[in-house]
Amino acid sequence: MRIKGEAAIAGLGVTPMGKIYGRSASEFAVEAIALALDDAGLEKKDVDGLLINANTAPDMNPMLQMTLGLENLAVLNVLNAFGSTAGTMLFYAAAAIEAGLANVIALVYADAPLVPARSASAAYSGRGAPALSPMWGLKAAYGEFGANCGYALAARRHMHEFGTTSEQLGAIAVAQRKWAMMNPWAQMRRPLTLEEHQSSRYIAEPLHLFDCCLVSNGGVAVIVTSAERARSLKQPPVYILGIGQGSPGDNQRHEREPGLYTGARQSGEQALRMAGVELEDIDIRELYDCYTYTVLVTLEDYGYCPKGEGGAFVADGKLGPGGSLPTNTGGGQLSAYYMWGFTPLSEGVVQARGQGGERQVPKNDLVLVSGNGGILNYHSTTILSKHPS
Amino acid sequence: MTLLSKDADPATYNKPIPVPDEATRPFFEGAKRHELMLQRCTACGIAMWPVKPRCIKCFSGEVEWAPASGRGTLYTFTLVHQVFDPGFADEIPHNVSVVELEEGVRFTTNIVGCSNTDLRIGMPLEVTFEEITDEISLPKFKPSR
């Protein structure tokens, strides 16, 4: 089966993001799919496949089909590879279309973890979540909650091994904020200086507040269909040229350093090979950025610079507007919105179409989108293009 | 292996307390005796943590529990400033640390017996036990003498 160029993203829906209260994840999911169908020029009755990104929301399950009123679906699943899921969903959608199982597949992520009068940091951590199994209970007993500690531990080790500094991580946050200021969908559109990054409070040293992603209520959906059908629809098709996945494993033993060497290497090589392009050919990068450190280590593992040199590599601001390596051009999860892998995917679609407005990168032939989950344990890569090959 | 000078007062201890199950009982029973217990594969000999049903290297089902030396070095650490749980509010910032044990296992824990500002990656450490309840003791680590 051939994947390259056979399927395309024909519709994109992004709901309002952030502190939007009183709506469930499934309500955001329905709105995102409605927006994506309208964007594509399709109707609900055209949809014969639904892929749902599992997350911590209880209603992101197969019953979403009934909430949407979808009938006679030929493809239905809830997928979960944590933050790397979006790329895997594109693979299953493209394969299902190429195999003739379905014609129009809706892919959706939605969440509503923010509630009034509770801090954003409590949304994905604290004593209630996850349930205190003995192993997780032991983590909690030592005061390790949520993902913040895991990424802080990895970043500290990188600093120790390679001399990476907090200011270098800050350069990533500053560059992305500049992009976000040009993104009408972004939650954070006030300027951010390196000094403000440095003086922002610590969440878990060495990570400051502005090293950490936002938390968002909202939903994103994309519509995947055949390349041929996409060409007859409203929007310029965004073709899926290459997909890769890489999960190195973590046995918590000394043989491996999963916080320093991620699945991005294996995943990126696979995606580029399928697309038949080189890393140097990529015009725009939309990298999963749950933390600034995630961007740094992902750039290293894709091969943009030698292992350990990511800090010096990003410090000159080359990821920002006008830089030599435009990256996270909508502001990413750090400054726009946190929808797991659908944050980089949504901006990748915007840029590949050439619809980025003020923030559009002029040369947009090839866009690389990454996903990352766990504590740097699960990685996916997608190569998107306005060209079918 | 020594006891912390100031043991937890069950009346005021407000941090989460783990509840052992069948799979983890040997670990917690060992901690109660002040022994750091790890799983060990009897076929290939590697030590494992956290608890696994089979050997993660050779996949043998012959896995036993054995006491670790309790010695290791600091692999990495973070100082947590955000209050994620009220039980830690009085100790902010508190460290969450990963110790690389002599057995090759990385064990997430807290370093005690020194200031957070004295933490250095690579520093030699040894296990100590904090008695939380009659049944639960937590292995923690302190600088080696």
Side-chain angles (χ1 to χ4, degrees), chain A residues 66-214:
Chain A
M66 274 57 102
T67 309
L68 284 153
L70 289 171
E71 295 179 281
N72 302 318
L73 293 183
V75 166
L76 170 69
N77 228 318
V78 181
L79 286 84
N80 192 355
F82 295 131
S84 69
T85 310
T88 70
M89 291 166 80
L90 289 174
F91 173 76
Y92 289 112
I97 286 161
E98 181 57 10
L101 293 182
N103 298 303
V104 174
I105 306 181
L107 284 57
V108 66
Y109 181 97
D111 204 359
L114 293 172
V115 295
R118 185 178 73 174
S119 79
S121 72
Y124 295 117
S125 59
R127 201 175 286 204
L132 290 187
S133 70
M135 284 301 113
W136 282 100
L138 202 51
K139 280 176 176 282
Y142 291 123
E144 182 179 1
F145 296 95
N148 295 290
C149 288
Y151 282 88
L153 291 165
R156 169 87 69 184
R157 183 71 193 178
H158 198 278
M159 290 175 168
H160 172 76
E161 283 285 312
F162 306 116
T164 310
T165 67
S166 173
E167 289 83 354
Q168 291 168 339
L169 294 178
I172 295 170
V174 169
Q176 290 193 201
R177 182 62 63 85
K178 288 179 185 167
W179 287 115
M181 288 168 66
M182 298 186 279
N183 181 0
W185 289 337
Q187 287 175 226
M188 305 292 276
R189 300 180 60 196
R190 199 177 57 74
L192 176 71
T193 66
L194 187 58
E195 291 68 32
E196 286 169 313
H197 169 274
Q198 286 295 294
S199 61
S200 68
R201 64 190 170 89
Y202 279 120
I203 300 298
E205 282 184 59
L207 300 179
H208 290 268
L209 175 68
F210 291 130
D211 289 306
C212 305
C213 66
L214 303 164

Side-chain angles (χ1 to χ4, degrees), chain B residues 96-107:
Chain B
V96 171
S97 302
V98 179
V99 178
E100 194 160 287
L101 302 174
E102 284 184 343
E103 289 78 8
V105 166
R106 295 204 189 107
F107 187 86

Side-chain angles (χ1 to χ4, degrees), chain B residues 57-97:
Chain B
K57 187 178 174 195
C58 74
F59 217 47
S60 163
E62 301 298 315
V63 172
E64 62 178 12
W65 285 88
S69 75
R71 287 187 296 271
T73 55
L74 185 57
Y75 175 73
T76 185
F77 67 97
T78 175
L79 303 183
V80 181
H81 291 248
Q82 182 81 22
V83 179
F84 294 106
D85 185 283
F88 292 88
D90 294 340
E91 298 176 15
I92 294 297
H94 68 85
N95 74 76
V96 171
S97 302

Side-chain angles (χ1 to χ4, degrees), chain A residues 297-314:
Chain A
V297 75
T298 300
L299 287 166
E300 288 180 352
D301 288 335
Y302 278 147
Y304 280 103
C305 64
K307 176 53 66 183
E309 295 180 15
F313 184 73
V314 301

Side-chain angles (χ1 to χ4, degrees), chain A residues 275-287:
Chain A
V277 300
E278 303 291 329
L279 189 67
E280 296 70 33
D281 301 330
I282 300 295
D283 299 305
I284 302 163
R285 287 136 296 275
E286 308 297 347
L287 305 182

Side-chain angles (χ1 to χ4, degrees), chain A residues 361-374:
Chain A
V361 177
K363 184 166 179 346
N364 67 338
D365 294 308
L366 286 166
V367 182
L368 182 150
V369 176
S370 84
N372 159 74

Side-chain angles (χ1 to χ4, degrees), chain A residues 26-51:
Chain A
S26 52
E27 288 174 89
F28 283 116
V30 171
E31 182 180 344
I33 289 173
L35 289 168
L37 286 170
D38 188 51
D39 181 61
L42 290 165
E43 295 178 41
K44 183 168 76 76
K45 64 177 169 53
D46 297 314
V47 175
D48 57 1
L50 175 65
L51 294 177

